[in-house]
Amino acid sequence: ARRTHGVAVMSRPTVLKLSGELLEEPDRVQALARLVASIARQGPLVVVHGGGREIDASLAKAGIPKRQVDGLRVTDEDTLAVVVPVLAGTINTRFVAAVVAAGGQAVGLTGADTGVLPVEPMAPFTSVDGSTVSLGRVGQPVTDGVPHLLHHLLAGRYVPVVASIGADHRGDLYNVNADTMAGALAARLWAERLVMAGTTPGVLDRTGQTIEQLGHEVEQALIASGTANAGMLAKLHACRAALHAGVGSVLIVDGRDTASLESAVLHGEATGSTLTRMVA
């Protein structure tokens, strides 16, 4: 074991981000819970999850329109009042319970828990179409500081399962893009590996084929051509930032294929054409 920030840690952790779409169907939730429990027995693991369509459905039920810019959800007070209970309540608790039932030692958290991932309000930014946009109650992670709680949990062989909600120094809550949170946590934890699992086989080119190695120039070309858009823009930005921060490897994989997902998390590779590796 080595000591990180005064806490004994067996090895650099892996951060696994699960898209909200992967955590909707009971059978898939149970399969992923079994996988997480198994992987965590082999090394330190942190799980970050989003909410996706369950948030959209709850917003629609409440009569609140969905607005997104470059894959980031525009969040006013009414939207935040829906996002927090869906993410931090329903989805997080459901998955934590499934991991525990599968034999894992899962602990449900958000970025608002002590030192996990403080945020500040995201400044207005220039979108791909050139307009300046304010996202409202959306948080930008503060990546300095030490996530002592996560280090202690990992040293105790617990599996932190983190919902993508954050709080600023005043205690105000913010919605945080789950990809952004996963990348920031991977950077803060100096992770060995960041694995982004969703419902597509990696990053696709304009013909729909998986790009196995994605360098900066090809990434910029995908964005400029519009091939990479919506949620993929936030994902690519988070992955690139994590890579630059020293995360060992960054992978985007099809989480519907549990064999490939397990291989990606444990070995940094996947079966078939289901994985994209980010490279400098």
Side-chain angles (χ1 to χ4, degrees):
R2 63 182 180 87
R3 298 192 71 81
T4 300
H5 306 302
V7 180
V9 180
M10 297 305 294
S11 59
R12 293 172 68 180
T14 291
V15 174
L16 169 62
K17 185 263 179 170
L18 297 174
S19 72
E21 288 81 0
L22 292 174
L23 299 177
E24 294 173 354
E25 300 173 6
D27 288 348
R28 182 168 290 151
V29 167
Q30 291 176 12
L32 287 170
R34 289 192 296 269
L35 181 61
V36 164
S38 174
I39 290 170
R41 285 192 283 269
Q42 301 177 61
L45 177 68
V46 176
V47 177
V48 177
H49 68 82
R53 292 186 299 207
E54 285 194 66
I55 292 174
D56 293 345
S58 294
L59 288 172
K61 188 174 181 180
I64 301 170
K66 171 186 175 180
R67 292 180 57 212
Q68 287 189 311
V69 179
D70 293 356
L72 300 172
R73 187 183 297 276
V74 178
T75 306
D76 58 14
E77 295 289 345
D78 290 341
T79 299
L80 186 68
V82 171
V83 169
V84 171
V86 173
L87 272 176
T90 303
I91 299 174
N92 188 270
T93 305
R94 184 175 65 209
F95 190 62
V96 166
V99 175
V100 172
Q105 297 192 98
V107 178
L109 299 169
T110 72
D113 286 283
T114 301
V116 172
L117 192 67
V119 301
E120 57 190 11
M122 180 175 282
F125 72 103
T126 303
S127 66
V128 170
D129 67 10
S131 59
T132 300
V133 181
S134 174
L135 296 173
R137 292 292 289 275
V138 172
Q140 177 66 41
V142 177
T143 54
D144 57 353
V146 180
H148 289 291
L149 176 60
L150 293 181
H151 285 303
H152 282 292
L153 289 171
L154 292 172
R157 299 186 181 278
Y158 293 97
V159 184
V161 178
V162 187
S164 53
I165 297 294
D168 65 13
H169 68 281
R170 295 179 299 273
D172 293 331
L173 296 178
Y174 290 83
N175 183 22
V176 184
N177 176 270
D179 292 322
T180 302
M181 174 170 276
L185 275 180
R188 293 187 89 215
L189 289 165
W190 198 52
E192 177 65 34
R193 189 170 293 127
L194 168 62
V195 179
M196 299 283 205
T199 54
T200 57
V203 180
L204 308 179
D205 63 19
R206 61 183 180 182
T207 68
Q209 299 300 306
T210 299
I211 302 171
E212 294 184 3
Q213 302 267 357
L214 183 60
H216 182 70
E217 290 186 5
V218 174
E219 176 188 337
Q220 292 304 304
L222 289 175
I223 294 171
S225 67
T227 302
N229 54 49
M232 185 56 69
L233 292 174
K235 189 183 305 293
L236 291 176
H237 180 75
C239 288
R240 185 63 56 189
L243 199 62
H244 287 165
V247 174
S249 60
V250 178
L251 312 169
I252 302 172
V253 66
D254 191 340
R256 298 169 298 182
D257 183 336
T258 52
S260 286
L261 180 56
E262 181 177 27
S263 182
V265 174
L266 292 177
H267 310 297
E269 58 189 35
T271 57
S273 298
T274 62
L275 178 146
T276 296
R277 180 184 302 275
M278 301 286 289
V279 296

